[in-house]
Amino acid sequence: MALISKHNIIRLVAASLSTLTLVAGAGCGSSSSSSTDSSKSGSTDSSTISQQTVTPGTLTIATGEPAYAPYVLDNKPETGKGFEAAVAYAVGEKMGFKKDQIKWTRSTFDEAIAPGAKDYDMNIQQFSITPERKKAVDFTPSYYNSPQSIVVRADSKFASATSLKEIKAGTVGAMVGSTSYTFAKQKVKDDIKTFNDNVALAQALDSNQIDAIVVDTPVAVDITESKQVKDGKVVGQIADSDDPEGIGIVLPKGSKLTKAASQAVTDLTKDGTIKKLQETWLKEYTTDIPILK
């Protein structure tokens, strides 16, 4: 066995340290590169809109249960058929979500405009924009300003009315807290019976509990055509009853999506998309209806 000199021992130690340094350096380089690659390919940017939703990557939209035509056809918003279903998909796309990234859920009208966190990102079901509601929730700009109409039973003495004065003799109902209720009090009579939603309202008219109801015009036509009131008639629109503030999409108060959703509605209004959707889905529900003064 050859003896190892002191000089050779020093050389061997130096070589070993050099090798360890190279290995350690290579390891550090690999770790840094892996982290960068992961950042590029695997992680998400939490500042993007798609990551601000209740389920990151999915835009969850709520509507009523049931949702009626012409706003949602066949109670199936996921088809995109019906005015509000179509508006929702257009807004979602403008915000950067593909159709398969939009999920639908349901909520009551009252729950949607109550303060507090929600398990969805936005809610669309003919919410009139009012100062009181703005204290509890956020709104996008209006996507529709509807006039109000009166529905009666076709076999009642009010079916031939041509003026609001004739309707005043009857018992009139409207949805509590709605724009329809406000116009009913202003234009028809002071004593208006209130109901929680339009379904209860139609049932009250159908069962002869009241003589007339005030609702927005597309809903009025749908109530008669869908036989929610079996023998109903839209007797006419209330003159000068276009909702001045209109209806908007509701978001939780302070939502990080409010700005993007509002910009989407504004852009869709400017480029004519909203008007085209109104003509497609609402035209047959809003024409050839007499005016009651």
Side-chain angles (χ1 to χ4, degrees), residues 120-276:
Y120 51 78
D121 300 301
M122 54 180 64
N123 199 315
I124 184 167
Q125 47 178 311
Q126 305 114 66
F127 294 106
S128 294
I129 302 169
T130 68
E132 292 76 17
R133 290 174 182 171
K134 282 183 175 179
K135 295 175 183 176
V137 296
D138 288 347
F139 280 96
T140 66
S142 171
Y143 55 87
Y144 185 54
N145 298 65
S146 175
Q148 304 297 312
S149 283
I150 296 177
V151 182
V152 300
R153 291 182 304 280
D155 62 353
S156 77
K157 64 180 181 181
F158 303 101
S160 58
T162 57
S163 70
L164 294 175
K165 184 178 180 180
E166 295 170 78
I167 300 296
K168 286 181 180 179
T171 305
V172 180
M175 184 174 146
V176 64
S178 66
T179 301
S180 301
Y181 172 77
T182 301
F183 276 110
K185 281 185 71 73
Q186 290 176 351
K187 302 284 188 176
V188 185
K189 60 190 298 184
D190 188 60
D191 180 20
I192 302 296
K193 289 189 174 298
T194 57
F195 296 82
N196 287 333
D197 52 46
N198 287 336
V199 175
L201 198 60
Q203 290 172 343
L205 178 60
D206 188 56
S207 60
N208 209 24
Q209 296 177 44
I210 55 179
D211 299 306
I213 61 175
V214 179
V215 291
D216 74 64
T217 297
V219 171
V221 174
D222 180 65
I223 281 175
T224 59
E225 292 191 350
S226 64
K227 302 299 181 183
Q228 294 175 61
V229 178
K230 297 181 186 67
D231 193 17
K233 176 183 179 181
V234 182
V235 72
Q237 295 186 83
I238 300 175
D240 302 321
S241 63
D242 285 5
D243 182 357
E245 299 297 329
I247 56 178
I249 299 172
V250 163
L251 299 95
K253 192 68 176 175
S255 169
K256 294 179 179 178
L257 301 182
T258 299
K259 183 178 180 180
S262 296
Q263 188 61 55
V265 173
T266 299
D267 291 345
L268 292 168
T269 300
K270 287 181 178 178
D271 69 15
T273 300
I274 295 291
K275 185 177 181 180
K276 290 179 181 177

Side-chain angles (χ1 to χ4, degrees), residues 44-52:
T44 54
D45 183 354
S46 62
S47 67
T48 62
I49 283 295
S50 67
Q51 300 304 307
Q52 304 298 318

Side-chain angles (χ1 to χ4, degrees), residues 79-144:
T79 65
K81 296 180 178 179
F83 178 56
E84 288 189 333
V87 167
Y89 276 114
V91 170
E93 183 179 358
K94 206 73 173 176
M95 293 171 68
F97 294 88
K98 298 177 181 177
K99 187 172 183 179
D100 62 3
Q101 292 178 300
I102 295 175
K103 173 187 173 184
W104 288 91
T105 187
R106 307 286 182 151
S107 84
T108 68
F109 192 92
D110 290 341
E111 287 172 351
I113 55 175
K118 313 294 182 187
D119 59 359
Y120 51 78
D121 300 301
M122 54 180 64
N123 199 315
I124 184 167
Q125 47 178 311
Q126 305 114 66
F127 294 106
S128 294
I129 302 169
T130 68
E132 292 76 17
R133 290 174 182 171
K134 282 183 175 179
K135 295 175 183 176
V137 296
D138 288 347
F139 280 96
T140 66
S142 171
Y143 55 87
Y144 185 54

